[in-house]
Amino acid sequence: MLVAAAVCPCPPLLVPEVATGAAPELDTARTACTDALGVLAAARPDLLVVVGPGDGAGPESYPEGTPGSFRGFGVGLDVRLGPDRGVPARRELPYGLAVGAWLLGRTGWADAPVEGLAVGESLTAERCAEEGEAVAGRAERVALLVMGDASACRTLKAPGYLDERAAPFDAELARALGAADIGALRALDTGLARELKVSGRAPWQVLAGAAAGNPDLEGALLYEDAPYGVGYLVATWA
């Protein structure tokens, strides 16, 4: 059963070595992410699953110890999803899970086994919810670290340029995450999310599916902003 979840943004810029001179601009977001991971630790899960955007179409699982890196962003920084258990890795972590692994390493996570799940943009809301339900049933006490960004169209200089639909979309998303509104997350418009370059739609709908078996979860919104024209949100469910 899902006992806690933390929702965090996943831009590589969250990693100071990648952001370099712009690193202080996301200090508040980093602090909120650290606080959110504290909620996960306090829940004392038997299993932590990091869920993030995937490069492929279907869900892809990553075992504990899978490596990742930020070398593609010009930084010689490597990370690992939890401790190295000696399990051969078939592939590296996609960037969203790599940021999640960096957050876990930064906070010294050692409270439960860790696994990764990447979900592609083409995965339907129903399929995401099914994945979430399956993940929640994998242990008596499951926690999720859900990585994803909101719209990338909040300003003229945003990666997706300015779209007037972006701010209302992000505002409703922030409300849903802060209220642990499962129905609202399930109902996210997948087409609009794609047009607004939202990377977190599928991961959030996995969260909605995982939370269906625990209606007592309460949400809290810890951070909401749009630096660089991209919506970043931090929330907890516990």
Side-chain angles (χ1 to χ4, degrees):
M1 182 177 71
L2 183 71
V3 295
V7 174
C8 294
C10 64
L13 286 174
L14 202 62
V15 180
E17 290 88 342
V18 176
T20 60
E25 297 178 16
L26 290 179
D27 278 347
T28 304
R30 293 185 191 97
T31 298
C33 290
T34 298
D35 293 342
L37 264 66
V39 172
L40 296 186
R44 302 180 67 181
D46 301 317
L47 172 67
L48 172 65
V49 180
V50 184
V51 184
D55 300 326
E60 296 283 350
S61 297
Y62 295 82
E64 188 171 51
T66 300
S69 83
F70 295 96
R71 297 180 185 274
F73 300 95
V75 176
L77 176 65
D78 298 318
V79 294
R80 192 174 292 278
L81 190 63
D84 184 1
R85 304 292 188 188
V87 178
R90 294 178 295 167
R91 54 193 179 276
E92 281 199 347
L93 298 170
Y95 82 93
L97 296 187
V99 175
W102 175 82
L103 284 173
L104 292 173
R106 180 173 184 259
T107 55
W109 179 270
D111 297 85
V114 183
E115 297 177 5
L117 176 67
V119 284
E121 183 184 59
S122 63
L123 217 61
T124 65
E126 293 77 13
R127 187 72 180 86
C128 289
E130 290 172 0
E131 283 295 316
E133 292 171 7
V135 168
R138 295 193 50 203
E140 186 174 345
R141 299 179 64 81
V142 175
L144 296 184
L145 173 55
V146 186
M147 310 296 298
D149 300 337
S151 67
C153 304
R154 292 282 292 273
T155 66
L156 293 173
K157 294 183 178 181
Y161 197 66
L162 176 64
D163 190 315
E164 294 182 353
R165 301 171 297 174
F169 182 95
D170 288 359
E172 168 57 16
L173 176 61
R175 185 208 63 78
L177 290 174
D181 188 337
I182 295 172
L185 292 183
R186 282 178 176 264
L188 287 174
D189 187 326
T190 57
L192 178 58
R194 185 178 300 108
E195 292 174 11
L196 296 178
K197 302 186 183 303
V198 175
S199 70
R201 190 275 305 172
W204 298 325
Q205 290 183 325
V206 170
L207 167 61
N214 186 358
D216 295 329
L217 290 169
E218 296 184 358
L221 186 66
L222 306 186
Y223 175 87
E224 176 189 6
D225 203 355
Y228 319 117
V230 181
Y232 297 152
L233 301 163
V234 180
T236 59
W237 292 19

